[in-house]
Amino acid sequence: MPLPPAPGSPGPLPRAAAAGLALGACGFAVEGLLAARPFLAPLPRVEGVEAFLAAMAAAWLALGLLGGAAAGAALGPIRRRPHHAPLPVAGGIATAIAALGRFQFHHGMVLVAASALAFGAAWLLAGRPKLLAAGAFGATAAVWFALVLSPPSAAAEAVTPAPALAGPPPSAGPDLVVVVLDTVRVDHSSAYGYRRETTPVLAGLAREGALFTRAFSSGCWSVPAHASLFTGLSPSAHGATWESPHLREGLPTLAGALARAGWRTALFTGNPWLSPDNGLARGFQHYRPSVPVHPVARAFLLRELAEAGDRDKGGAQTVRAFGDFLEARDPERPYLAVFNVFEPHGPYDEVPADCGDRFLDAGDRRRARRASREAEIAEFEGTAMAERDVGLARDLYDGAISCGDRVLGELLDVLARSGRPDRTAVVVLSDHGEAFGEHGAMGHAYGLWREIVQVPLVVRYPGVVPPGLRVEAPARMVDLAPTLLRWAGVPEAAWPAMEGRPLQPILEGGEAEPRVPLLEQYVPTWVRAARRVRHPTRRWPELEVRRRAVVVGDRRYERRSDGSESLYDWSADPGERVDLSVAGPVPAEARRALDAATAGRTAPFAAPPPAAPAPTGLDPVTEARLRSLGYLR
């Protein structure tokens, strides 16, 4: 006959409930470990399992004990006064709701809450001694602050398959450096006359080389734009779009062509979309992602505390990694180094305060932080923002551009110290711009408006590109790969098939070849899915169509997959406020230009948009970071 439980000890039902809570917390912990992976320094591997997973598991156990100690201390009196129980329960629920509303991306908070609840129940039921509580508190505090406040080192390098180096190294070739300042619209760059000094480094670089006044991306967001940069093809040709966010299998790239010709190729990125998993790192022999610290702090509910220190989106890691790359490289072999500087991309407030807050009034900082978050929500959920908050988000955006420009300066300093700056072609551009409600949208999720597709482009190549050159002829994203291949001296027979043409005739003073920028945007399925989560019955017609546009002179003509079209004249209407197609017929010249630019496309432009987003093809770690940026839901 089983003995009855001792007086005051928990019965089988409470013990089973505590065990169930503990198991649930373990499940959350496994998911949380995947989300936290990229934010820790690489540690030794144990039979294929990264050792830091064990360290994280121990940290979460300690965290759970801390939560349990707090819960036990708070709930002990309630065990003696059951009628008081609703008060802390209601308070806990209200706190959780407030936290989830304040922090839109709450993956880590669910983990914290589950761990604390599980071990809190265990603590309450088992009645641990006070000495153990003190030890658990100290150990947890040490692990917690070590994980959150210590800056992570650069993420582990993932070497992607690339063609084997063949033949003698082409030591006479130039080094090639491409810097993409993510999300910089041209009219917010002081190099182009903006009233605020957002890009003094870029302006100085332009004085040493060429500045293009009419450079255009190929799309409205990072994946199609970088794919065009790497392949010399437009989105409908390379296939990396919202509807399928990965580069087509087997498609050759700039990096692959240079690697076959003997160049060392490296990609340094703060943008999680540039990944080996979706093909955008194809051909790069050295791949180095840089990971910011703030998603960790957000997961641990210590975002404000971490921001008291040095905020960073990964630019500092990129600069250090470039220095390490130059020190370790073979001096007999030239290199291609491509950088994505993520600082200007939203959230605008997650950059160092000394540059990020430079255009804010001191009293506006707290509201500006909220405005930055609201801008992210507005982009993906279609919510409205107050005019003042839009202005504050724009102020923070200018500061974030300034931080990105500073990273550019630091990269150029590293090149001057450890590289061959006199034998290096440097190209600086942006992948797309950013909207602030000019046409009813925030961010860059959709639309081919001028503020999104016109980008800065500066080229410096000492002894080849005349200093101070100002180029008025159009330049396209697809033109950069053939330009770099020609400077590298790679025979054209070895080039991949590309739509773009080299820019050398323009840069070297020859007659400009006619170029018609083609802009394309496919259905933003991820944005549409995110909005349907919040509003299942609503429909957004602007998210249901594909768009194509051409820029002919000062006019931008756009045709959409539903048959509608628009026409804007930048000379009389630089902000694209008046659609000329409403008042009269579209000139035949504009229609012919678009037809010629898209001739031979096999993709069904007018086909019905996909009902659901295609898989990203990315690993769970990268998807977790994209979720923290609002791309995925």
Side-chain angles (χ1 to χ4, degrees):
M1 178 176 179
L3 295 175
S9 65
L13 184 60
R15 287 184 184 276
L21 288 172
L23 289 174
C26 291
F28 280 115
V30 171
E31 190 180 2
L33 293 175
L34 293 176
R37 265 181 76 189
F39 308 117
L40 297 176
L43 296 176
R45 297 172 181 268
V46 179
E47 296 183 354
V49 179
E50 290 151 336
F52 68 76
L53 289 178
M56 283 296 292
W60 284 118
L61 287 173
L63 175 61
L65 289 175
L66 172 61
L75 297 178
I78 294 172
R79 189 163 47 180
R80 294 187 294 271
R81 299 181 180 86
H83 60 282
H84 290 171
L87 296 177
V89 171
I93 292 174
T95 301
I97 292 174
L100 297 184
R102 168 65 181 86
F103 298 87
Q104 290 296 315
F105 316 113
H106 51 268
H107 181 102
M109 286 180 289
V110 174
L111 171 58
V112 172
S115 299
L117 181 60
F119 289 98
W123 182 278
L124 177 64
L125 296 173
R128 301 295 184 188
K130 294 181 179 180
L131 182 60
L132 182 57
F137 181 87
T140 300
V143 173
W144 188 323
F145 281 92
L147 288 175
V148 175
L149 299 182
S150 60
S153 64
E157 176 185 337
V159 180
T160 60
L165 300 177
S171 57
D175 297 329
L176 304 171
V177 171
V178 179
V179 181
V180 179
L181 299 174
D182 207 299
T183 321
V184 176
R185 53 188 281 176
V186 69
D187 60 346
H188 277 242
S189 167
S190 55
Y192 288 80
Y194 186 47
R195 59 185 175 84
R196 288 172 167 169
E197 194 178 33
T198 52
T199 56
V201 175
L202 185 65
L205 195 72
R207 289 190 291 271
E208 299 171 359
L211 180 144
F212 288 79
T213 63
R214 292 167 56 81
F216 297 93
S217 181
S218 59
C220 66
W221 69 295
S222 295
V223 167
H226 282 85
S228 293
L229 171 64
F230 295 158
T231 65
L233 300 173
S234 57
S236 55
H238 60 59
T241 69
W242 272 121
E243 298 175 17
S244 179
H246 42 79
L247 198 59
R248 226 177 42 234
E249 190 67 32
L251 198 64
T253 64
L254 166 69
L258 287 171
R260 283 189 296 271
W263 262 252
R264 181 69 173 161
T265 57
L267 174 61
F268 305 84
T269 178
N271 188 327
W273 279 112
L274 306 187
S275 166
D277 296 320
N278 64 356
L280 288 180
R282 186 178 303 159
F284 289 100
Q285 302 148 326
H286 180 101
Y287 172 75
R288 176 72 68 163
S290 56
V291 180
V293 68
H294 292 93
V296 187
R298 188 184 297 132
F300 278 88
L301 301 180
L302 284 179
R303 179 172 176 272
E304 296 298 331
L305 181 58
E307 285 188 350
D310 187 21
R311 298 174 295 186
D312 179 35
K313 281 185 184 170
Q317 296 178 49
T318 296
V319 172
R320 290 193 298 270
F322 183 41
D324 294 342
F325 171 77
L326 290 181
E327 289 180 8
R329 76 181 185 92
D330 178 1
E332 299 298 319
R333 197 176 293 278
Y335 64 86
L336 165 71
V338 177
F339 302 87
N340 178 282
V341 177
F342 204 54
E343 269 65 12
H345 193 286
Y348 312 129
D349 59 326
E350 291 188 354
V351 291
D354 59 339
C355 54
D357 294 351
R358 60 180 298 198
F359 303 115
L360 283 177
D361 293 332
D364 289 335
R365 284 177 179 148
R366 185 170 294 277
R367 179 164 180 171
R369 300 272 185 275
R370 291 198 300 268
S372 174
R373 300 294 157 180
E374 289 175 10
E376 289 183 85
I377 299 168
E379 177 177 14
F380 290 96
E381 298 186 5
T383 54
M385 290 182 65
E387 185 176 348
R388 183 188 172 194
D389 289 334
V390 172
L392 290 173
R394 189 183 291 111
D395 294 341
L396 277 176
Y397 170 67
D398 287 345
I401 292 176
S402 176
C403 293
D405 185 73
R406 184 167 72 181
V407 173
L408 170 62
E410 292 170 352
L411 291 172
L412 295 176
D413 289 343
V414 171
L415 177 63
R417 290 194 306 268
S418 305
R420 305 182 300 176
D422 57 329
R423 294 179 55 188
T424 302
V426 177
V427 177
V428 182
L429 71 156
S430 185
D431 52 347
H432 54 77
E434 189 82 324
F436 286 91
E438 293 89 347
H439 296 92
M442 296 290 292
H444 53 271
Y446 67 92
L448 298 175
W449 307 106
R450 187 179 189 180
E451 62 266 19
I452 295 177
V453 298
Q454 189 168 1
V455 296
L457 174 61
V458 171
V459 177
R460 183 188 73 181
Y461 189 1
V464 177
V465 176
L469 181 63
R470 190 175 180 90
V471 179
E472 305 291 339
R476 307 168 298 179
M477 189 75 77
V478 296
D479 294 328
L480 294 174
T483 300
L484 295 170
L485 287 170
R486 176 163 291 181
W487 272 334
V490 177
E492 290 194 30
W495 294 9
M498 292 181 287
E499 300 170 26
R501 297 194 302 276
L503 295 170
Q504 276 81 355
I506 300 174
L507 293 169
E508 295 169 6
E511 184 176 352
E513 304 175 48
R515 302 167 195 262
V516 176
L518 172 64
L519 320 169
E520 295 184 306
Q521 177 238 298
Y522 279 65
V523 173
T525 51
W526 291 100
V527 180
R528 187 181 59 185
R531 292 190 182 183
R532 286 179 179 174
V533 169
R534 183 65 62 93
H535 307 285
T537 61
R538 281 188 60 183
R539 292 294 180 267
W540 291 267
E542 67 272 19
L543 303 183
E544 299 292 340
V545 294
R546 300 183 177 106
R547 293 175 167 85
R548 277 178 175 163
V550 287
V551 179
V552 182
D554 283 329
R555 292 190 168 191
R556 185 180 71 87
Y557 168 63
E558 178 177 318
R559 184 186 299 159
R560 291 170 285 277
S561 57
D562 61 359
S564 61
E565 57 186 359
S566 55
L567 178 69
Y568 299 94
D569 184 355
W570 291 349
S571 61
D573 178 26
E576 296 187 322
R577 302 293 183 184
V578 180
D579 182 0
L580 299 179
S581 70
V582 175
V586 173
E589 175 193 7
R591 288 199 176 104
R592 284 196 300 268
L594 181 56
D595 291 339
T598 57
R601 296 291 192 273
T602 58
F605 179 67
T616 64
L618 302 173
D619 64 271
V621 176
T622 304
E623 285 198 352
R625 189 170 173 217
L626 289 171
R627 190 172 292 110
S628 77
L629 293 169
Y631 282 101
L632 308 181
R633 287 290 190 272

